[in-house]
Amino acid sequence: MLLLLLLQVLVSCLWLGHGELVTSFESSCPQFFFRETPPSEGLEPESPAWICQRYKNQYYFATLYDRNRRIPVYSAYLYQPGPGKRPKTWLVEPQLLGSVYPKTMEKEWTLLKYYNVSLEQLSKSQAVLRDYKNLTGLNRGHLNPNGHHHDISSRMATFTLTNIVPQNEKLNGGAWNNYEQQTMIRRTQGCNNTYVVVGAVPGNSYIANGRVNKPSHIWSSACCEVDNNHRKAWGVIAENDKNEVQLLTLGELEDVLTELYGRDQVSLFDSDCPRE
């Protein structure tokens, strides 16, 4: 009887400290979207998970995750670059396993050792480290890059496998890196706040014996607030087998994504972001 009571107390403590995946970004972590408006439903996969990405009890960005393909659809964040080292530790999302697990991202071994989770259980819910081993011509490509964040905790939060896709290694280290590091610096001159939504279009091939989708395209979009009355916006897209990035207007990127997804018209930001 005493053991049962202790178990009930433990579960209730876990529940109070953590909780379920969110049902909408608007109600849980809207601060990562311009005018608190997430992208339209035209990007949503068949089995979506809305994750307010939490590290050390603080939200750092938002991710729409595709449970079936085991890749993020998009990540949304505020562009706040700063100096600092690149983390080396990779994390996973316990909350994808179920509501009794921590809502804060954890290391794989922490879950296996302290939460009685098997690697098989974990790998059913999401991509795991072994999925990205022994890749040829591909590597772990961040959607939300650690270099766009200003302190060690925010950079560490980007090292969750729910923020990673199999990306062409030449693109990741070449033209895409140039966009993230150089073009973004130039484009955000004069911006007070820059909201970013970066995503991956699902492709027709997989890695890890069909477990993890290899995207056909990687894309990114930005909406910058210059002041209360002036905004500017842009987008980029890259095929995931070429080392080239195409710079577009926000409207052009939304039209390209609408065609690639083949569903409803895609809208990435509130209508106050200029499309031209």
Side-chain angles (χ1 to χ4, degrees):
M1 186 69 184
L2 181 59
L3 180 60
L4 181 62
L5 184 61
L6 285 170
L7 283 171
Q8 287 175 333
V9 170
L10 177 61
V11 170
S12 67
C13 286
L14 284 170
W15 182 260
L16 286 169
H18 305 101
E20 294 182 300
L21 286 167
V22 302
T23 53
S24 77
F25 291 134
E26 292 96 330
S27 61
S28 302
C29 52
Q31 66 268 32
F32 302 114
F33 302 93
F34 174 66
R35 297 276 167 85
E36 302 189 347
T37 305
S40 60
E41 295 177 359
L43 298 176
E44 286 182 15
E46 286 182 9
S47 185
W50 291 267
I51 307 172
C52 292
Q53 299 278 16
R54 183 169 161 177
Y55 179 67
K56 291 187 175 178
N57 290 321
Q58 184 173 336
Y59 291 142
Y60 286 103
F61 61 105
T63 297
L64 179 61
Y65 191 70
D66 186 334
R67 290 175 178 271
N68 292 341
R69 297 183 178 95
R70 296 185 178 90
I71 58 170
V73 177
Y74 64 73
S75 289
Y77 62 95
L78 277 162
Y79 176 70
Q80 297 173 319
K85 291 182 180 178
R86 177 186 173 90
K88 294 179 181 177
T89 303
W90 290 94
L91 306 169
V92 291
E93 288 293 340
Q95 57 184 322
L96 289 171
L97 284 158
S99 59
V100 297
Y101 295 97
K103 195 174 180 181
T104 300
M105 54 186 78
E106 299 279 1
K107 296 174 186 173
E108 272 186 25
W109 70 264
T110 302
L111 287 177
L112 303 184
K113 185 172 181 181
Y114 296 109
Y115 289 90
N116 198 28
V117 172
S118 69
L119 190 56
E120 184 184 5
Q121 270 180 290
L122 182 61
S123 64
K124 281 181 181 175
S125 69
Q126 60 200 281
V128 292
L129 282 169
R130 69 182 180 190
D131 292 326
Y132 283 91
K133 290 220 169 122
N134 305 317
L135 295 179
T136 303
L138 299 167
N139 54 25
R140 288 175 284 208
H142 282 72
L143 288 193
N144 178 356
N146 84 98
H148 286 186
H149 298 272
H150 68 284
D151 62 30
I152 186 61
S153 291
S154 55
R155 287 194 294 274
M156 189 67 234
T158 68
F159 272 71
T160 169
L161 292 181
T162 53
N163 181 43
I164 299 298
V165 298
Q167 187 173 11
N168 180 289
E169 63 182 1
K170 289 182 179 176
L171 173 64
N172 193 19
W176 194 258
N177 184 65
N178 289 342
Y179 170 71
E180 289 178 338
Q181 303 305 327
Q182 297 172 26
T183 308
M184 278 294 286
I185 290 173
R186 290 197 305 271
R187 287 251 159 184
T188 54
Q189 293 299 312
C191 297
N192 284 320
N193 294 302
T194 302
Y195 295 85
V196 179
V197 179
V198 54
V201 181
N204 296 319
S205 61
Y206 285 75
I207 64 165
N209 296 318
R211 281 180 40 78
V212 179
N213 186 267
K214 178 194 166 190
S216 63
H217 297 74
I218 313 293
W219 55 268
S220 186
S221 58
C223 181
C224 139
E225 293 180 306
V226 179
D227 55 40
N228 289 337
N229 301 312
H230 298 90
R231 283 162 291 281
K232 56 183 180 178
W234 62 89
V236 292
I237 194 164
E239 293 181 49
N240 197 18
D241 56 2
K242 295 179 183 175
N243 187 19
E244 298 173 14
V245 171
Q246 186 179 5
L247 186 61
L248 305 169
T249 66
L250 176 59
E252 286 170 341
L253 176 61
E254 290 176 333
D255 288 344
V256 169
L257 293 178
T258 300
E259 190 172 331
L260 286 171
Y261 280 88
R263 299 203 290 268
D264 298 337
Q265 174 67 39
V266 170
S267 173
L268 298 174
F269 294 104
D270 178 88
S271 59
D272 274 351
C273 277
R275 264 56 189 182
E276 298 302 321

